[in-house]
Amino acid sequence: MSPRIAALAALLALAGCATVDMDQHVAAVNQDAAAFTGGQLALARTEAERTRQQAAANRLLAAPLGQAEAVQLALLNSPAVQATLAQHWADAAGAAQQARLANPVFGFERMRGGGELEIARTLSFGLFELLTLPARAALADQRIAAARLQLTAGVVDQATQVRQAWVRAVAARQSLAYARQVADSAEVSAELARRMQAVGNWNRLTRARQQLFYADATTQLALAQQAELAAREQLVRLLGLTGTQAARLTLPERLPDLPAEPLAPQALGTAALDTRLDVRLARTRYDAAARAQGLERVASVIDAELAARSDTAWGHGARQSPRGWALGLRLPLFDWGGARRDAMTAQTLAAANALEAARRAAESELREGYAAYRSAWDVARHWQDEVVPLRRLMQEENLLRYNAMLIGVFELLQDAREQVRSVSAALDAQQRFWLADAALQAALVGRPLAPNPAVAAPALAGGSDAQAH
């Protein structure tokens, strides 16, 4: 093999070294976010792959959808997830393109004059690009790694949104069931009050109080129905369901039971802060900025172009074929690149401070997320173990008093309504816990969310008694 051919082969090998294997990127995301994806994340690029994903989604829809199954369904079915994967592919391919050599330029000249004909052929390429190719390839790898971490963060965000939307949808369904119980109790009370007034046992004021409670319960039922529909549709959107699929979606009757014990603070693993996605992403961006700054220090001052030239001239009965090479240098006469170097220095400094800020914020976010999680567990457990049993005990005692004719039917109905209210408040506390749990799981991998979304705080146990009288 001639030296020219060997050199050309080496250039082609170097120029094509930067590639993007999307399957490897998806596998890396499934590994980094295994607790969120369960290894189910995949990019459907063919009709056959989309068909397989739809079949898997239909199998999940055939049974009541749990929280983990909801995340799997979103990964398999949501066009938003597929759009995120495709956009990452485009971003990673763009980063890989920066590590490729620009195509060489072929020049052809034909000159005739004085009875002579001259043909010149040149093949030129950027010498500086060739010399810095290894450094630019390493920079492209860092940018691709940053894009992969960003993809992982996006998938974790979407999975967390699905988890919280599932909690809200199931809780809204439970709340609607309790709202129906209150409305039914109020309707019975209002009808009984009407009959008692008709026979002259009650006055209009007493009946109006019962009728007003019934009207309020009916309003609360309508609001609960709308809240349940809104929560369900939010989940439908995050799952990417079609109208037909949405009609098949069924949810569990109730939220999961509270864990017997909350996570211990040691489970946060504060020593593993450097493995969080936000810290890893900030470090990758800093490394890329530092490497780019090193390249820019040279590129801002000088640029070179190397060309191989072959001429053929005919004239005066002779043919000449001189060959050689040419080197072109960009002279820094007007721009010495100071502004470009300052910009790169500033970007590196900003990336370094962003890395330190991410590390400091990570510790605070973990403490805040765990505090919200633990507080929500304590409150939910208090309602479940203390308030609701006390309300149930009061209801049982009042039933005995009613059987002994010590209280009337309206007092018994009122007590039943208070029992339902306490259970509803306990449900609110349980919902807040599972939302905080999803937020904490996201914070552990470096994607913190608001630990307590807008959920009404549970009412005091005796608050509705004061309102009823």
Side-chain angles (χ1 to χ4, degrees):
M1 181 182 294
S2 67
R4 292 182 180 178
I5 296 178
L8 180 59
L11 284 176
L12 292 175
L14 288 173
C17 62
T19 58
V20 176
D21 189 336
M22 191 59 191
D23 291 335
Q24 289 184 356
H25 286 212
V26 173
V29 175
N30 278 322
Q31 180 178 357
D32 290 343
F36 293 84
T37 67
Q40 298 298 317
L41 183 66
L43 175 61
R45 284 169 283 193
T46 66
E47 190 61 32
E49 291 174 342
R50 284 188 286 270
T51 300
R52 285 196 295 270
Q53 288 189 347
Q54 286 299 310
N58 291 333
R59 288 193 295 270
L60 290 173
L61 287 171
L65 197 67
Q67 188 181 53
E69 290 75 17
V71 174
Q72 292 182 20
L73 181 58
L75 297 178
L76 291 169
N77 190 77
S78 174
V81 173
Q82 294 297 308
T84 299
L85 292 174
Q87 185 59 50
H88 165 74
W89 193 3
D91 295 341
Q97 181 64 36
Q98 299 176 4
R100 292 178 177 266
L101 283 175
N103 291 325
V105 178
F106 175 75
F108 181 84
E109 297 180 6
R110 184 179 186 277
M111 304 293 291
R112 176 183 291 276
E116 294 184 353
L117 174 64
E118 182 177 352
I119 295 178
R121 296 166 292 272
T122 59
L123 184 66
S124 60
F125 59 91
L127 180 59
F128 182 76
E129 288 187 353
L130 176 61
L131 296 177
T132 60
L133 183 61
R136 289 190 294 110
L139 176 59
D141 289 340
Q142 288 177 335
R143 289 174 174 168
I144 292 173
R148 185 170 60 246
L149 288 174
Q150 193 65 52
L151 171 63
T152 305
V155 171
V156 170
D157 287 345
Q158 290 174 320
T160 303
Q161 291 175 17
V162 171
R163 285 180 172 182
Q164 292 193 330
W166 181 89
V167 170
R168 294 190 184 97
V170 176
R173 187 178 185 187
Q174 277 187 268
S175 297
L176 177 59
Y178 287 121
R180 285 198 178 101
Q181 292 185 27
V182 173
D184 292 342
S185 174
E187 183 180 10
V188 172
S189 179
E191 176 61 21
L192 183 58
R194 185 190 66 81
R195 295 182 181 182
M196 294 289 283
Q197 184 196 9
V199 298
N201 291 336
W202 274 22
N203 56 34
R204 291 190 301 173
L205 178 59
T206 304
R207 178 195 171 184
R209 286 174 177 170
Q210 297 300 323
Q211 192 68 32
L212 181 62
F213 179 80
Y214 175 51
D216 179 69
T218 303
T219 301
Q220 295 303 318
L221 176 59
L223 293 176
Q225 289 174 334
Q226 176 57 34
E228 191 272 341
L229 176 63
R232 179 184 174 88
E233 290 302 327
Q234 182 189 20
L235 179 60
V236 166
R237 290 191 295 271
L238 289 173
L239 297 177
L241 302 181
T242 64
T244 303
Q245 290 175 323
R248 298 178 54 198
L249 174 64
T250 56
L251 296 173
E253 296 292 337
R254 57 191 301 274
L255 289 171
D257 294 333
L258 294 174
E261 295 293 336
L263 288 175
Q266 294 77 9
L268 300 183
T270 55
L273 288 177
D274 288 342
T275 63
R276 283 171 48 114
L277 290 175
D278 50 357
V279 176
R280 290 170 59 191
L281 182 58
R283 180 182 298 106
T284 302
R285 287 173 174 170
Y286 167 72
D287 293 340
R291 188 176 293 275
Q293 181 183 4
L295 287 175
E296 193 64 26
R297 287 175 180 174
V298 180
S300 61
V301 177
I302 189 172
D303 191 10
E305 185 176 273
L306 183 64
R309 178 163 180 162
S310 175
D311 294 350
T312 304
W314 292 269
H316 306 291
R319 174 182 175 181
Q320 299 178 356
S321 301
R323 293 179 174 84
W325 55 273
L327 179 65
L329 298 176
R330 187 181 300 276
L331 300 178
L333 297 180
F334 307 111
D335 182 9
W336 284 84
R340 293 169 59 185
R341 289 191 296 274
D342 288 345
M344 295 302 298
T345 300
Q347 289 180 6
T348 304
L349 181 60
N353 282 283
L355 173 58
E356 183 60 26
R359 287 183 55 84
R360 296 183 185 184
E363 296 181 1
S364 175
E365 289 163 355
L366 284 177
R367 290 193 299 267
E368 180 187 6
Y370 182 77
Y373 165 87
R374 184 53 192 265
S375 175
W377 185 88
D378 289 338
V379 171
R381 179 62 68 179
H382 174 71
W383 276 89
Q384 177 178 297
D385 296 346
E386 299 292 337
V387 179
V388 172
L390 287 175
R391 276 292 180 190
R392 186 178 299 113
L393 176 62
M394 293 173 61
Q395 185 182 25
E396 292 173 355
E397 291 297 323
N398 280 327
L399 181 59
L400 294 176
R401 295 175 66 195
Y402 172 75
N403 291 334
M405 302 182 66
L406 298 177
I407 62 174
V409 65
F410 289 103
E411 288 82 359
L412 187 63
L413 289 173
Q414 177 65 28
D415 187 71
R417 289 195 292 264
E418 295 306 325
Q419 168 68 12
V420 171
R421 285 196 185 96
S422 65
V423 174
S424 180
L427 171 61
D428 287 339
Q430 190 178 10
Q431 177 185 2
R432 289 169 68 88
F433 166 77
W434 287 114
L435 292 176
D437 175 75
L440 178 61
Q441 296 302 320
L444 288 174
V445 298
R447 300 303 296 175
L449 299 176
N452 285 318
V455 179
L460 295 176
S464 53
D465 284 325
Q467 296 175 0
H469 300 287

